[in-house]
Amino acid sequence: DYCNVRDDTYFKTLASESPNSIILFKGHPDLVYIPHFYRNTLPDFDGSIIYAMGNDDSAVQKLLKKYPGRSVYIVEDHRPVEKLR
């Protein structure tokens, strides 16, 4: 485990990555998924994959509207990766 992220959750995230996607994490924002956020391309998030927290529905909807053509995945500890679109 690293930063309270279970190894299997970390590897599930890596396995679900595909170009032109958004990966939303559900869980505690301070500890659960820190190892992924440094991979975002800042300041404009123009990278192939965007990593974001998925706990706030209104923020998620704004993100999905801004990037309508991307595949979207939800990663949550102890659950299978879910593809939204």
Side-chain angles (χ1 to χ4, degrees), residues 36-55:
H36 297 285
F37 295 124
Y38 79 91
R39 301 168 70 196
N40 280 321
T41 305
L42 299 175
D44 52 9
F45 296 95
D46 66 351
S48 177
I49 301 172
I50 296 172
Y51 302 89
M53 289 303 298
N55 294 334

PDB file of all heavy atoms in Angstrom, residues 36-55:
ATOM      1  N   HIS A  36      -2.019   9.221  -8.274  1.00  0.00           N
ATOM      2  CA  HIS A  36      -2.385   9.432  -9.678  1.00  0.00           C
ATOM      3  C   HIS A  36      -2.421  10.905 -10.087  1.00  0.00           C
ATOM      4  O   HIS A  36      -2.193  11.222 -11.241  1.00  0.00           O
ATOM      5  CB  HIS A  36      -3.751   8.802  -9.972  1.00  0.00           C
ATOM      6  CG  HIS A  36      -3.746   7.328  -9.797  1.00  0.00           C
ATOM      7  ND1 HIS A  36      -3.167   6.465 -10.693  1.00  0.00           N
ATOM      8  CD2 HIS A  36      -4.230   6.559  -8.795  1.00  0.00           C
ATOM      9  CE1 HIS A  36      -3.292   5.231 -10.265  1.00  0.00           C
ATOM     10  NE2 HIS A  36      -3.936   5.255  -9.117  1.00  0.00           N
ATOM     11  N   PHE A  37      -2.715  11.801  -9.196  1.00  0.00           N
ATOM     12  CA  PHE A  37      -2.974  13.188  -9.585  1.00  0.00           C
ATOM     13  C   PHE A  37      -1.755  13.895 -10.173  1.00  0.00           C
ATOM     14  O   PHE A  37      -1.902  14.783 -10.999  1.00  0.00           O
ATOM     15  CB  PHE A  37      -3.564  13.982  -8.429  1.00  0.00           C
ATOM     16  CG  PHE A  37      -4.918  13.490  -8.028  1.00  0.00           C
ATOM     17  CD1 PHE A  37      -5.175  13.098  -6.731  1.00  0.00           C
ATOM     18  CD2 PHE A  37      -5.940  13.382  -8.957  1.00  0.00           C
ATOM     19  CE1 PHE A  37      -6.424  12.621  -6.362  1.00  0.00           C
ATOM     20  CE2 PHE A  37      -7.192  12.903  -8.608  1.00  0.00           C
ATOM     21  CZ  PHE A  37      -7.429  12.527  -7.296  1.00  0.00           C
ATOM     22  N   TYR A  38      -0.565  13.525  -9.775  1.00  0.00           N
ATOM     23  CA  TYR A  38       0.631  14.156 -10.332  1.00  0.00           C
ATOM     24  C   TYR A  38       0.768  13.879 -11.823  1.00  0.00           C
ATOM     25  O   TYR A  38       1.499  14.574 -12.538  1.00  0.00           O
ATOM     26  CB  TYR A  38       1.898  13.706  -9.595  1.00  0.00           C
ATOM     27  CG  TYR A  38       2.386  12.341 -10.023  1.00  0.00           C
ATOM     28  CD1 TYR A  38       3.312  12.215 -11.058  1.00  0.00           C
ATOM     29  CD2 TYR A  38       1.901  11.182  -9.426  1.00  0.00           C
ATOM     30  CE1 TYR A  38       3.752  10.969 -11.474  1.00  0.00           C
ATOM     31  CE2 TYR A  38       2.330   9.939  -9.837  1.00  0.00           C
ATOM     32  CZ  TYR A  38       3.254   9.843 -10.849  1.00  0.00           C
ATOM     33  OH  TYR A  38       3.679   8.601 -11.264  1.00  0.00           O
ATOM     34  N   ARG A  39       0.035  12.915 -12.329  1.00  0.00           N
ATOM     35  CA  ARG A  39       0.131  12.549 -13.738  1.00  0.00           C
ATOM     36  C   ARG A  39      -0.688  13.455 -14.648  1.00  0.00           C
ATOM     37  O   ARG A  39      -0.580  13.371 -15.868  1.00  0.00           O
ATOM     38  CB  ARG A  39      -0.298  11.097 -13.898  1.00  0.00           C
ATOM     39  CG  ARG A  39       0.587  10.171 -13.064  1.00  0.00           C
ATOM     40  CD  ARG A  39       0.050   8.778 -12.947  1.00  0.00           C
ATOM     41  NE  ARG A  39       0.154   8.100 -14.221  1.00  0.00           N
ATOM     42  CZ  ARG A  39      -0.506   7.004 -14.511  1.00  0.00           C
ATOM     43  NH1 ARG A  39      -1.329   6.466 -13.646  1.00  0.00           N
ATOM     44  NH2 ARG A  39      -0.358   6.432 -15.682  1.00  0.00           N
ATOM     45  N   ASN A  40      -1.524  14.338 -14.085  1.00  0.00           N
ATOM     46  CA  ASN A  40      -2.283  15.285 -14.905  1.00  0.00           C
ATOM     47  C   ASN A  40      -1.336  16.263 -15.587  1.00  0.00           C
ATOM     48  O   ASN A  40      -0.324  16.655 -15.012  1.00  0.00           O
ATOM     49  CB  ASN A  40      -3.279  16.076 -14.049  1.00  0.00           C
ATOM     50  CG  ASN A  40      -4.532  15.297 -13.756  1.00  0.00           C
ATOM     51  OD1 ASN A  40      -5.045  14.584 -14.601  1.00  0.00           O
ATOM     52  ND2 ASN A  40      -5.037  15.437 -12.547  1.00  0.00           N
ATOM     53  N   THR A  41      -1.659  16.660 -16.803  1.00  0.00           N
ATOM     54  CA  THR A  41      -0.883  17.654 -17.531  1.00  0.00           C
ATOM     55  C   THR A  41      -1.429  19.027 -17.149  1.00  0.00           C
ATOM     56  O   THR A  41      -2.557  19.368 -17.496  1.00  0.00           O
ATOM     57  CB  THR A  41      -1.017  17.434 -19.049  1.00  0.00           C
ATOM     58  OG1 THR A  41      -0.638  16.092 -19.342  1.00  0.00           O
ATOM     59  CG2 THR A  41      -0.129  18.383 -19.812  1.00  0.00           C
ATOM     60  N   LEU A  42      -0.641  19.778 -16.417  1.00  0.00           N
ATOM     61  CA  LEU A  42      -1.076  21.093 -15.937  1.00  0.00           C
ATOM     62  C   LEU A  42      -0.492  22.188 -16.807  1.00  0.00           C
ATOM     63  O   LEU A  42       0.546  22.006 -17.416  1.00  0.00           O
ATOM     64  CB  LEU A  42      -0.640  21.267 -14.482  1.00  0.00           C
ATOM     65  CG  LEU A  42      -1.228  20.241 -13.506  1.00  0.00           C
ATOM     66  CD1 LEU A  42      -0.631  20.448 -12.123  1.00  0.00           C
ATOM     67  CD2 LEU A  42      -2.739  20.318 -13.452  1.00  0.00           C
ATOM     68  N   PRO A  43      -1.056  23.376 -16.899  1.00  0.00           N
ATOM     69  CA  PRO A  43      -2.218  23.848 -16.157  1.00  0.00           C
ATOM     70  C   PRO A  43      -3.543  23.608 -16.877  1.00  0.00           C
ATOM     71  O   PRO A  43      -4.603  23.874 -16.329  1.00  0.00           O
ATOM     72  CB  PRO A  43      -1.975  25.348 -16.043  1.00  0.00           C
ATOM     73  CG  PRO A  43      -1.285  25.695 -17.322  1.00  0.00           C
ATOM     74  CD  PRO A  43      -0.435  24.472 -17.641  1.00  0.00           C
ATOM     75  N   ASP A  44      -3.516  23.092 -18.096  1.00  0.00           N
ATOM     76  CA  ASP A  44      -4.748  23.048 -18.892  1.00  0.00           C
ATOM     77  C   ASP A  44      -5.331  21.649 -19.076  1.00  0.00           C
ATOM     78  O   ASP A  44      -6.289  21.471 -19.809  1.00  0.00           O
ATOM     79  CB  ASP A  44      -4.520  23.682 -20.252  1.00  0.00           C
ATOM     80  CG  ASP A  44      -3.313  23.098 -20.952  1.00  0.00           C
ATOM     81  OD1 ASP A  44      -2.751  22.101 -20.467  1.00  0.00           O
ATOM     82  OD2 ASP A  44      -2.926  23.647 -21.986  1.00  0.00           O
ATOM     83  N   PHE A  45      -4.757  20.647 -18.425  1.00  0.00           N
ATOM     84  CA  PHE A  45      -5.281  19.274 -18.496  1.00  0.00           C
ATOM     85  C   PHE A  45      -5.451  18.801 -19.945  1.00  0.00           C
ATOM     86  O   PHE A  45      -6.448  18.186 -20.286  1.00  0.00           O
ATOM     87  CB  PHE A  45      -6.606  19.151 -17.743  1.00  0.00           C
ATOM     88  CG  PHE A  45      -6.465  19.398 -16.270  1.00  0.00           C
ATOM     89  CD1 PHE A  45      -6.705  20.650 -15.747  1.00  0.00           C
ATOM     90  CD2 PHE A  45      -6.067  18.388 -15.426  1.00  0.00           C
ATOM     91  CE1 PHE A  45      -6.555  20.887 -14.394  1.00  0.00           C
ATOM     92  CE2 PHE A  45      -5.911  18.611 -14.068  1.00  0.00           C
ATOM     93  CZ  PHE A  45      -6.160  19.860 -13.554  1.00  0.00           C
ATOM     94  N   ASP A  46      -4.469  19.072 -20.782  1.00  0.00           N
ATOM     95  CA  ASP A  46      -4.577  18.682 -22.189  1.00  0.00           C
ATOM     96  C   ASP A  46      -3.944  17.319 -22.467  1.00  0.00           C
ATOM     97  O   ASP A  46      -3.776  16.930 -23.609  1.00  0.00           O
ATOM     98  CB  ASP A  46      -3.988  19.749 -23.101  1.00  0.00           C
ATOM     99  CG  ASP A  46      -2.487  19.914 -22.922  1.00  0.00           C
ATOM    100  OD1 ASP A  46      -1.918  19.331 -21.975  1.00  0.00           O
ATOM    101  OD2 ASP A  46      -1.882  20.630 -23.735  1.00  0.00           O
ATOM    102  N   GLY A  47      -3.631  16.576 -21.417  1.00  0.00           N
ATOM    103  CA  GLY A  47      -3.054  15.251 -21.602  1.00  0.00           C
ATOM    104  C   GLY A  47      -4.075  14.236 -22.079  1.00  0.00           C
ATOM    105  O   GLY A  47      -5.277  14.497 -22.130  1.00  0.00           O
ATOM    106  N   SER A  48      -3.586  13.079 -22.408  1.00  0.00           N
ATOM    107  CA  SER A  48      -4.446  12.019 -22.925  1.00  0.00           C
ATOM    108  C   SER A  48      -5.437  11.512 -21.876  1.00  0.00           C
ATOM    109  O   SER A  48      -6.534  11.099 -22.205  1.00  0.00           O
ATOM    110  CB  SER A  48      -3.571  10.869 -23.415  1.00  0.00           C
ATOM    111  OG  SER A  48      -4.351   9.810 -23.863  1.00  0.00           O
ATOM    112  N   ILE A  49      -5.036  11.551 -20.602  1.00  0.00           N
ATOM    113  CA  ILE A  49      -5.898  11.068 -19.516  1.00  0.00           C
ATOM    114  C   ILE A  49      -5.995  12.158 -18.457  1.00  0.00           C
ATOM    115  O   ILE A  49      -4.998  12.774 -18.094  1.00  0.00           O
ATOM    116  CB  ILE A  49      -5.337   9.779 -18.890  1.00  0.00           C
ATOM    117  CG1 ILE A  49      -5.220   8.680 -19.950  1.00  0.00           C
ATOM    118  CG2 ILE A  49      -6.220   9.316 -17.729  1.00  0.00           C
ATOM    119  CD1 ILE A  49      -4.495   7.447 -19.475  1.00  0.00           C
ATOM    120  N   ILE A  50      -7.202  12.389 -17.972  1.00  0.00           N
ATOM    121  CA  ILE A  50      -7.425  13.331 -16.871  1.00  0.00           C
ATOM    122  C   ILE A  50      -7.820  12.519 -15.643  1.00  0.00           C
ATOM    123  O   ILE A  50      -8.714  11.672 -15.717  1.00  0.00           O
ATOM    124  CB  ILE A  50      -8.547  14.330 -17.202  1.00  0.00           C
ATOM    125  CG1 ILE A  50      -8.132  15.199 -18.388  1.00  0.00           C
ATOM    126  CG2 ILE A  50      -8.884  15.198 -15.991  1.00  0.00           C
ATOM    127  CD1 ILE A  50      -9.235  16.088 -18.902  1.00  0.00           C
ATOM    128  N   TYR A  51      -7.147  12.778 -14.526  1.00  0.00           N
ATOM    129  CA  TYR A  51      -7.436  12.121 -13.258  1.00  0.00           C
ATOM    130  C   TYR A  51      -8.134  13.141 -12.365  1.00  0.00           C
ATOM    131  O   TYR A  51      -7.633  14.252 -12.179  1.00  0.00           O
ATOM    132  CB  TYR A  51      -6.149  11.644 -12.588  1.00  0.00           C
ATOM    133  CG  TYR A  51      -5.362  10.705 -13.461  1.00  0.00           C
ATOM    134  CD1 TYR A  51      -4.406  11.189 -14.356  1.00  0.00           C
ATOM    135  CD2 TYR A  51      -5.582   9.336 -13.414  1.00  0.00           C
ATOM    136  CE1 TYR A  51      -3.689  10.326 -15.164  1.00  0.00           C
ATOM    137  CE2 TYR A  51      -4.874   8.474 -14.227  1.00  0.00           C
ATOM    138  CZ  TYR A  51      -3.926   8.976 -15.099  1.00  0.00           C
ATOM    139  OH  TYR A  51      -3.220   8.123 -15.910  1.00  0.00           O
ATOM    140  N   ALA A  52      -9.296  12.786 -11.807  1.00  0.00           N
ATOM    141  CA  ALA A  52     -10.055  13.736 -10.994  1.00  0.00           C
ATOM    142  C   ALA A  52     -10.829  12.988  -9.915  1.00  0.00           C
ATOM    143  O   ALA A  52     -11.120  11.800 -10.049  1.00  0.00           O
ATOM    144  CB  ALA A  52     -11.026  14.529 -11.874  1.00  0.00           C
ATOM    145  N   MET A  53     -11.189  13.712  -8.859  1.00  0.00           N
ATOM    146  CA  MET A  53     -12.058  13.150  -7.836  1.00  0.00           C
ATOM    147  C   MET A  53     -13.482  13.107  -8.383  1.00  0.00           C
ATOM    148  O   MET A  53     -13.887  14.001  -9.121  1.00  0.00           O
ATOM    149  CB  MET A  53     -12.012  13.982  -6.556  1.00  0.00           C
ATOM    150  CG  MET A  53     -10.705  13.874  -5.790  1.00  0.00           C
ATOM    151  SD  MET A  53     -10.252  12.184  -5.312  1.00  0.00           S
ATOM    152  CE  MET A  53     -11.619  11.722  -4.246  1.00  0.00           C
ATOM    153  N   GLY A  54     -14.229  12.090  -8.012  1.00  0.00           N
ATOM    154  CA  GLY A  54     -15.591  11.934  -8.502  1.00  0.00           C
ATOM    155  C   GLY A  54     -16.642  12.016  -7.418  1.00  0.00           C
ATOM    156  O   GLY A  54     -17.751  11.530  -7.601  1.00  0.00           O
ATOM    157  N   ASN A  55     -16.312  12.628  -6.293  1.00  0.00           N
ATOM    158  CA  ASN A  55     -17.245  12.690  -5.166  1.00  0.00           C
ATOM    159  C   ASN A  55     -18.297  13.779  -5.313  1.00  0.00           C
ATOM    160  O   ASN A  55     -19.361  13.685  -4.723  1.00  0.00           O
ATOM    161  CB  ASN A  55     -16.487  12.900  -3.854  1.00  0.00           C
ATOM    162  CG  ASN A  55     -15.613  11.716  -3.498  1.00  0.00           C
ATOM    163  OD1 ASN A  55     -15.891  10.596  -3.903  1.00  0.00           O
ATOM    164  ND2 ASN A  55     -14.560  11.953  -2.751  1.00  0.00           N
TER     165      ASN A  55
END
